[in-house]
Amino acid sequence: MQQNYSLMVHGGAGALDHVSDDRVAVRYLESIRVVLEHGRETLARGATAVEAVEQCASLLEDDPLFNAGCGSVLNENGKVEMDAGIMDGRDLAAGAVAAVGNIANPVQLARLVMDGSEHVLLISEGALRFAQHCGIKLTPDHYFFTPERIKQLEQARLRGRMMLDHDEEGEAQKYGTIGAVARDRDGNLAAATSTGGIVNKRSGRVGDSPVIGAGVYADNTSCAVSATGYGEDFMRTVFAKTLADFVEFRDADARTAVDQGLRLLRRKVSGRGGVICIDRAGRCASGMTTKKMIHGWIEHGGETLCRF
Ligand code: ASP
């Protein structure tokens, strides 16, 4: 049986930059490993890259450690407003939702937008109506809230009042988005990104994660990309599509595309964050401008590797 699949997942850039307790880091890495093993089984069975990224992203959304689905960060009103996007590299089909609450798995709703609507991006109330139309039950607010996120919002509000510029620690607490990219046994690519966004963000703010070409992108002729970090920086540089252009038009491999992309991100907008990328040949690469990014990968069906 051909095992030439590749898979990468991330749990956010910056989130662990200031965590000195190794036990906390180990919990994150263990979760990433479990998700990768699940994805391995899915891809080895012959599932498509889209199925694999949707499943991996859903598992990470279900884990309160990460800033997506359950455990999403809170906005300025103490509410959860989530964004998610998914893309199929076979035909550039894409689906996304933005500023939604009460959806346990926004990535699954994004997939429904991709497969079952004539649109790419649905937001807020309209996205919720579409979810109900598709038979998705709304999940009560308390499911999404964790004590850590409430504390984090309080700290962010305090910091906001106390200082205009962010201290290092403040920056580190803002990220934690999740993402997955895959190449299946047939060589098809897919990407998914899902997030609660940034702590204490303005109500109605949408980040890069559901913006096709910014925080998520997949095209069989180039690569699959999921980004994490300060979303405005990724939108302004059309980051994910820029990496894809490096692969398609400059014949870069995943490693070169990530390195060149991050150089550009730094140079143009002093961008903060990280990225995972699988190119059309199944090569995996990651990088970040923050100190850390929780992530892991399986290249060409090989060993499961996790890093932060
Ligand atoms: N990129 C996400 C956003 O700006 C945040 C993150 O990656 O943690 O909404």
Side-chain angles (χ1 to χ4, degrees), residues 67 83 174-177 195 197-198 205 207-209 227-232 234:
N67 171 21
D83 303 332
K174 286 180 172 182
Y175 313 129
T177 289
T195 187
I198 288 181
R205 179 262 187 190
D208 60 314
S209 310
T228 167
Y230 194 72
E232 282 70 4
F234 290 93

